[in-house]
């Protein structure tokens, strides 16, 4: 019976440490390493003369053909994957550009001149609403109150929200992409990546030579050459420089794609000079959990569940588990008094 895929991979990789150590000692690269290997076969084995004529050459040819096919297949799969990622980044950048443009158009003042007839009808509606409101206030006698469960619950919820708002006072509400819309730029994020769009108000189409983008592991700098940078600061956390990229959209907007190193946290700001967003109000559904492996995904889902529970004042998964164990123990021991017991 043949070995499974995992066993075959482990078997194939078991000498990697030894071979890597050998390779590092060969200054001439692969050619020198291969020469050393065949020299060993010639000097210490009967590989070349122990079999039939052409047997050694046939074995070498078959082995080369086998691994060449595997290498070509892996290369094609990598190219397909990189192309899919490139298209996805371009689509995301285009979407971000549209949202920035939409935000700019929404910010423009819109004034509509009303005709005399429309103005009269609008004033009539305002008067009717005002009159209705006054009538409703008269119908309810002073000092009367109608107690209800709903009102008490809503008042408790409002109190909780006030306490939460007090802690997060001054923080921005995340935009639809779990980032922030700021005067100079807009950024969005998932658990694994960050996308940034910076519109430049210029009267010409931007080209690569006009723009200066410097992506470092913990620092980002973006701007026009010869001008003060639009962004120049330390990032919230580290990014993979080799997997990050930037491009110019519509000749006016520079978009930057950053790959997070820590794929299990939400950023509360892009760079340290940005205002903070309230990460408790982030919508986890916008994150691409499908990109994560099974173990990481389950950990992230648990983290997001606990975050939602905390925001609602409810127990986390670990706290719930402790409560369930305690409840079961109390049911099994009704003779014990737990009324004065305190549990953490």
């Amino acid at each position: 019976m043949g070995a499974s895929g995992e066993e075959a991979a482990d078997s194939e990789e078991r000498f990697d440490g030894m071979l890597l150590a050998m390779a590092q000692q060969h200054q001439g690269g692969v050619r020198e390493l291969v020469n050393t290997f065949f020299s060993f076969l010639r000097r210490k084995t009967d590989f070349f003369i122990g079999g039939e004529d052409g047997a050694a050459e046939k074995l070498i040819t078959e082995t080369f053909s086998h691994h060449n096919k595997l290498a070509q297949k892996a290369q094609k799969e990598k190219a397909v994957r990189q192309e899919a990622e490139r298209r996805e980044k371009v689509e995301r950048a285009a979407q971000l550009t549209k949202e920035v443009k939409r935000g700019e158009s929404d910010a423009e003042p819109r004034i509509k001149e009303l005709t005399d007839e429309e103005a009269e009808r609008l004033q009539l509606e305002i008067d009717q609403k005002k009159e209705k409101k006054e009538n409703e206030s008269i119908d309810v006698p002073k000092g009367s109150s109608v107690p209800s469960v709903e009102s008490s619950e809503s008042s408790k919820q409002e109190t909780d929200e006030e306490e939460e708002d007090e802690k997060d006072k001054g923080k921005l509400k995340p935009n639809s992409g779990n980032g922030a819309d700021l005067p100079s730029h807009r950024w969005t994020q998932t658990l694994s990546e960050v996308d940034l769009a910076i519109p430049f108000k210029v009267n010409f189409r931007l080209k690569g030579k006009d723009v200066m983008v410097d992506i470092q592991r913990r620092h980002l700098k973006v701007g026009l050459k010869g001008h003060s940078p639009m962004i120049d600061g330390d990032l919230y956390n580290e990014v993979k420089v080799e997997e990050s990229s930037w491009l110019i959209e519509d000749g006016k907007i520079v978009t930057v794609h950053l790959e997070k190193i820590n794929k299990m946290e939400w950023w509360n700001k892009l760079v340290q000079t940005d205002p903070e967003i309230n990460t408790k109000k982030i919508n986890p559904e916008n994150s691409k959990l499908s990109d994560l492996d099974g173990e990481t995904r389950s950990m992230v889902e648990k983290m997001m569940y606990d975050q939602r529970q905390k925001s609602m004042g409810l127990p986390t998964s670990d706290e719930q588990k402790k409560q369930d164990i305690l409840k079961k123990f109390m049911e099994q021991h009704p003779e014990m008094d737990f009324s004065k017991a305190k549990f953490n």
Side-chain angles (χ1 to χ4, degrees):
M1 186 171 65
S4 68
E6 290 183 3
E7 291 173 346
D10 291 341
S11 175
E12 189 177 42
E13 296 172 2
R14 62 183 173 147
F15 298 117
D16 282 1
M18 185 189 306
L19 292 169
L20 282 169
M22 287 175 57
Q24 288 170 357
Q25 297 180 43
H26 287 73
Q27 301 299 323
V30 175
R31 181 183 290 274
E32 187 179 339
L33 178 64
V34 171
N35 185 64
T36 298
F37 183 67
F38 278 106
S39 172
F40 169 78
L41 292 177
R42 173 178 56 80
R43 292 178 294 102
K44 301 296 182 180
T45 74
D46 62 351
F47 177 77
F48 291 102
I49 58 175
E52 298 178 1
D53 288 345
E57 187 175 352
K58 182 182 178 183
L59 177 59
I60 292 170
T61 303
E62 288 176 351
T63 305
F64 172 82
S65 177
H66 170 70
H67 286 284
N68 183 49
K69 286 178 182 177
L70 292 178
Q72 296 299 331
K73 181 183 177 184
Q75 181 64 21
K76 287 180 181 178
E77 289 175 350
K78 182 180 178 181
V80 170
R81 187 168 61 252
Q82 288 178 336
E83 177 61 19
E85 290 174 356
R86 186 193 68 78
R87 288 181 181 177
E88 186 179 348
K89 288 177 183 177
V90 170
E91 289 173 4
R92 195 182 298 114
Q95 180 63 29
L96 197 57
T97 301
K98 286 181 183 177
E99 291 177 2
V100 169
K101 287 183 175 180
R102 192 184 304 123
E104 289 177 348
S105 64
D106 290 344
E108 294 177 359
R110 298 179 182 178
I111 303 172
K112 181 182 177 183
E113 187 176 348
L114 300 178
T115 63
D116 292 341
E117 185 180 345
E118 288 174 335
E120 187 177 343
R121 187 165 59 250
L122 181 60
Q123 186 61 47
L124 182 62
E125 289 176 3
I126 293 171
D127 293 341
Q128 288 175 347
K129 287 180 181 179
K130 186 177 179 182
E131 185 179 349
K132 184 180 179 181
K133 191 173 181 181
E134 289 175 353
N135 291 337
E136 286 176 353
S137 62
I138 293 171
D139 291 342
V140 180
K142 288 183 179 179
S144 65
S145 62
V146 183
S148 68
V149 177
E150 289 182 3
S151 62
S152 63
E153 286 180 353
S154 63
S155 114
K156 182 179 181 299
Q157 187 175 354
E158 286 172 4
T159 305
D160 293 340
E161 286 177 357
E162 284 174 6
E163 290 176 359
E164 182 182 337
D165 289 342
E166 193 64 32
K167 294 176 185 176
D168 300 314
K169 195 173 182 180
K171 294 183 180 179
L172 301 177
K173 182 180 178 182
N175 60 21
S176 59
N178 294 331
D181 297 328
L182 303 174
S184 61
H185 59 276
R186 180 181 198 271
W187 67 276
T188 61
Q189 67 173 323
T190 66
L191 279 169
S192 59
E193 55 200 20
V194 175
D195 286 292
L196 164 69
I198 309 174
F200 286 91
K201 296 179 180 179
V202 292
N203 55 7
F204 59 92
R205 288 185 66 83
L206 290 174
K207 295 181 180 179
K209 63 181 181 180
D210 303 319
V211 181
M212 184 275 301
V213 180
D214 182 21
I215 304 173
Q216 298 179 19
R217 191 178 179 89
R218 197 63 190 263
H219 192 91
L220 178 65
K221 188 175 182 180
V222 185
L224 292 179
K225 289 181 180 177
H227 295 76
S228 299
M230 297 286 284
I231 292 179
D232 185 9
D234 290 337
L235 294 164
Y236 175 81
N237 210 338
E238 297 179 341
V239 298
K240 296 180 182 178
V241 177
E242 65 279 5
E243 295 184 23
S244 299
S245 59
W246 65 275
L247 52 89
I248 299 173
E249 288 284 334
D250 294 341
K252 300 286 184 183
I253 299 174
V254 174
T255 61
V256 181
H257 176 79
L258 304 173
E259 283 286 334
K260 295 180 181 177
I261 289 181
N262 184 353
K263 298 182 183 296
M264 292 185 62
E265 69 173 353
W266 297 108
W267 289 16
N268 62 16
K269 60 179 72 172
L270 176 67
V271 291
Q272 296 301 330
T273 52
D274 279 355
E276 286 189 36
I277 64 169
N278 186 354
T279 53
K280 292 179 183 176
K281 295 185 178 180
I282 274 178
N283 179 16
E285 283 69 26
N286 288 348
S287 176
K288 294 170 59 184
L289 293 178
S290 58
D291 288 349
L292 306 176
D293 60 76
E295 184 179 356
T296 306
R297 177 172 178 170
S298 62
M299 291 174 65
V300 171
E301 287 175 339
K302 177 180 179 296
M303 179 185 71
M304 294 192 301
Y305 172 80
D306 290 344
Q307 188 179 39
R308 284 196 297 269
Q309 291 292 97
K310 283 182 179 179
S311 67
M312 294 186 290
L314 299 173
T316 63
S317 54
D318 291 336
E319 292 169 345
Q320 185 65 52
K321 193 180 294 183
K322 289 178 183 177
Q323 289 181 8
D324 292 341
I325 293 171
L326 175 61
K327 185 179 179 182
K328 186 176 181 181
F329 182 79
M330 291 172 68
E331 289 174 350
Q332 291 174 348
H333 299 276
E335 73 281 1
M336 298 179 69
D337 182 13
F338 294 91
S339 60
K340 296 181 181 179
K342 293 182 178 180
F343 300 93
N344 293 325

